[in-house]
């Protein structure tokens, strides 16, 4: 949670939340959106996914609630281009935005392993994002 809070602190309009941690047990995006909407009915909610996830959205638990509860933000990933699917997503009722980010040759799994073994670096994360 500390990594998320540190990253969110530097991004205007982004807020870290431990709502899924507090809920415990199985957690689905639809549950989180419903909880966030109850906390602030006027909040504009976004679900951010990698382009490689878009093809499997129809398998998500209660996907209709996710579709109506948030705008889908698709982030490019190396080797994945979801833009050909945007028309179909919009026709199915999704509000969709795409963003491009620089490709980094590191995974979240690798970052956690680097932090666990004391090999983390500010090249990959800003100061305060890793313990």
């Amino acid at each position: 949670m500390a990594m998320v809070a540190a990253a969110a602190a530097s991004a205007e309009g982004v807020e870290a939340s431990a709502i899924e941690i507090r809920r415990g047990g199985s957690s689905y995006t639809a549950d989180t959106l419903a909880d966030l909407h109850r906390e602030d009915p006027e909040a504009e909610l976004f679900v951010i996914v990698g382009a490689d996830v878009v093809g499997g959205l129809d398998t998500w638990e209660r996907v209709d609630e996710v579709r109506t509860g948030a705008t889908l933000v698709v982030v490019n990933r190396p080797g994945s281009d979801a833009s050909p699917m945007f028309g179909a997503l919009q026709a199915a009722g999704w509000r969709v935005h795409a963003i491009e980010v620089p490709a980094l040759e590191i995974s979240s799994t690798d970052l956690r392993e680097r932090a666990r073994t004391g090999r983390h670096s500010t090249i990959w994360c800003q100061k305060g994002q890793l313990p």
Side-chain angles (χ1 to χ4, degrees), residues 15-117:
E15 180 181 327
S17 171
I19 197 165
E20 292 178 329
I21 296 168
R22 287 191 307 266
R23 184 184 316 119
S26 296
S27 183
Y28 298 103
T29 302
D31 296 327
T32 302
L33 291 172
D35 288 348
L36 291 170
H37 181 72
R38 274 191 293 279
E39 285 183 9
D40 184 354
E42 302 302 315
E44 184 177 9
L45 302 176
F46 297 86
V47 172
I48 304 171
V49 298
D52 56 325
V53 171
V54 172
L57 287 172
D58 60 339
T59 66
W60 284 22
E61 184 78 19
R62 300 187 345 257
V63 69
D64 291 338
E65 293 174 39
V66 176
R67 183 183 304 114
T68 59
T71 297
L72 184 67
V73 178
V74 181
V75 179
N76 68 305
R77 291 218 174 138
S80 296
D81 180 11
S83 58
M85 293 185 243
F86 287 0
L89 287 168
Q90 290 168 333
W94 289 95
R95 295 179 309 279
V96 184
H97 293 286
I99 60 171
E100 295 286 325
V101 296
L104 298 176
E105 296 299 324
I106 192 162
S107 69
S108 58
T109 301
D110 188 37
L111 285 174
R112 285 190 295 274
E113 177 63 16
R114 286 171 176 268
R116 188 184 69 74
T117 60

